[in-house]
Amino acid sequence: MLTFLANAKINLHLEIIGSRPDGFHELVMVMQSVALADRITLRPLNTPTIQIQCDHPQVPTDSANLAYQAVALLQERLPHRTNQKGGVEITIEKKIPVGAGLAGGSSNAAAVLFGLDILWDLGLTRVELQELGSELGSDVPFCLAGGCAIATGRGEEVNLLYKNNSLHAVLAKYNSLSVSTPWAYQTYREQFGHTYIPVDRFTSLEKRRARVHSGSMVQAIGKKQSQAIGSNLYNDLEKIVLPAHPKVALLKSTMTALAAQFNALGTLMSGSGPTLFTLSETPEQAQSMAKALRQSVSDSDLMVYTAPFTAHGIETLS
Ligand code: C5P
């Protein structure tokens, strides 16, 4: 039996550049792992079945679960190396909110790929695992790498950045509110498709990607300039999700005001939301802000977490 921590991610930068021939969006993102983790346990089974158990009612335990799909993908692509291995029981103890823009499902799939490589002695490299992972979801390759990275293409092309910014995130999400990622991107396309760089103009696309690569956020991360990291937070999908969910827009105003009061660094929505996060420099400041946020929003539906940045995507516990 093997147990892993599968960390969540936040987006410090999410920029939508244009459409791709595969129907997805061309993105430039800066991703950061945070130590808010699901616990994934893999137990070998003698029978060739895939069983999933999860303590969260909204998480599917059948083939709709990315963790299930991760096992099936390994079995399909590596039949000779997997067909003598039997099946696996996967237990998911959920801490990462679901439908939250924190890559919870992707990190679970990443942990299963990483874990089965060990359990079944498959001998795959990180790059091979990431290539397989990209077929399951755009964020899976980053979840396998962890730390801080620029992610381009669909989000699956991961280039690691400096890993040693030790900031803290205060994360907030209304429990009953989830956002569908396909809906967020589709609505963005409807409203902002006219601003997309045409796919045939590769030079412009490369130029724009290059501008972000050397952009202010990446520089701030490299130079460990916390204030500049805070002031350069950016997410195109806020333009869709905040107007559609006024409650989240109001929460962002509240968190922004509290961040100013606590001298924190800045507030942003992660991924396709609706989770919002505020960055702070110390754990004490993050705890104080989280407490103040719970007090100022008297709604039992609001979940507030604090989590430090971490250099790890998947961590082996035993
Ligand atoms: O890759 P993932 O499964 O996370 O993507 C979920 C959905 O988000 C896709 O089906 C697509 O609608 C949208 N998406 C996109 N462009 C990306 C990533 C995701 O349009 N680069």
Side-chain angles (χ1 to χ4, degrees):
M1 214 160 85
L2 289 174
T3 302
F4 303 90
L5 287 180
N7 285 317
K9 63 84 188 163
I10 55 174
N11 296 87
L12 305 178
H13 182 102
L14 190 161
E15 188 175 352
I16 300 175
I17 289 185
S19 281
R20 292 165 52 97
D22 60 11
F24 279 67
H25 285 88
E26 188 71 25
L27 306 177
V28 176
M29 302 189 283
V30 177
M31 325 263 276
Q32 171 67 56
S33 302
V34 291
L36 172 63
D38 292 340
R39 185 184 280 252
I40 310 288
T41 301
L42 305 181
R43 192 167 70 88
L45 297 174
N46 291 331
T47 51
T49 51
I50 305 168
Q51 289 174 20
I52 306 227
Q53 292 177 352
C54 184
D55 54 1
H56 193 297
Q58 272 170 269
V59 174
T61 53
D62 58 12
S63 61
N65 193 309
L66 279 184
Y68 183 108
Q69 292 171 26
V71 187
L73 185 68
L74 286 175
Q75 290 174 330
E76 183 200 311
R77 293 301 156 81
L78 305 167
H80 302 301
R81 278 187 265 175
T82 58
N83 63 10
Q84 301 298 322
K85 306 288 182 185
V88 62
E89 180 192 71
I90 302 169
T91 305
I92 304 171
E93 292 164 72
K94 208 88 197 125
K95 288 279 185 305
I96 306 173
V98 177
L102 298 172
S106 298
S107 77
N108 294 177
V112 170
L113 290 175
F114 182 83
L116 284 183
D117 179 52
I118 299 169
L119 195 71
W120 287 350
D121 197 17
L122 300 175
L124 295 169
T125 63
R126 153 118 35 103
V127 171
E128 287 171 329
L129 289 172
Q130 287 177 318
E131 275 168 14
L132 286 165
S134 71
E135 296 185 36
L136 300 168
S138 309
D139 289 341
V140 178
F142 170 74
C143 291
L144 279 158
C148 185
I150 299 177
T152 52
R154 280 193 292 129
E156 88 288 15
E157 291 170 32
V158 177
N159 288 288
L160 285 173
L161 288 168
Y162 305 87
K163 290 186 170 185
N164 48 3
N165 278 282
S166 54
L167 301 180
H168 298 257
V170 177
L171 302 128
K173 177 186 180 283
Y174 286 106
N175 191 22
S176 59
L177 183 65
S178 288
V179 167
S180 146
T181 304
W183 167 83
Y185 279 103
Q186 180 53 31
T187 310
Y188 191 92
R189 190 193 302 279
E190 281 158 24
Q191 292 188 21
F192 296 98
H194 61 281
T195 67
Y196 288 5
I197 291 176
V199 276
D200 53 329
R201 286 171 55 199
F202 279 111
T203 330
S204 324
L205 193 65
E206 281 312 315
K207 261 192 197 150
R208 193 152 163 207
R209 277 168 61 151
R211 212 167 56 215
V212 179
H213 271 256
S214 58
S216 331
M217 174 56 81
V218 175
Q219 277 191 36
I221 290 167
K223 293 180 181 166
K224 292 208 241 175
Q225 293 168 333
S226 306
Q227 296 290 337
I229 293 174
S231 56
N232 283 294
L233 293 169
Y234 182 81
N235 184 347
D236 267 330
L237 290 174
E238 282 194 339
K239 292 182 227 164
I240 299 303
V241 178
L242 298 188
H245 298 285
K247 226 176 141 177
V248 182
L250 187 60
L251 182 61
K252 188 177 178 196
S253 306
T254 307
M255 289 172 74
T256 304
L258 279 175
Q261 197 182 315
F262 282 84
N263 216 8
L265 302 170
T267 300
L268 190 73
M269 186 180 82
S270 182
S272 54
T275 305
L276 300 170
F277 65 87
T278 296
L279 298 183
S280 93
E281 281 182 289
T282 65
E284 294 79 19
Q285 191 184 52
Q287 295 292 348
S288 307
M289 227 206 89
K291 192 173 166 202
L293 181 59
R294 286 189 198 99
Q295 281 165 354
S296 56
V297 182
S298 55
D299 186 337
S300 59
D301 197 36
L302 186 72
M303 299 184 300
V304 182
Y305 311 83
T306 58
F309 283 16
T310 171
H312 307 288
I314 310 300
E315 294 175 64
T316 308
L317 286 186
S318 61

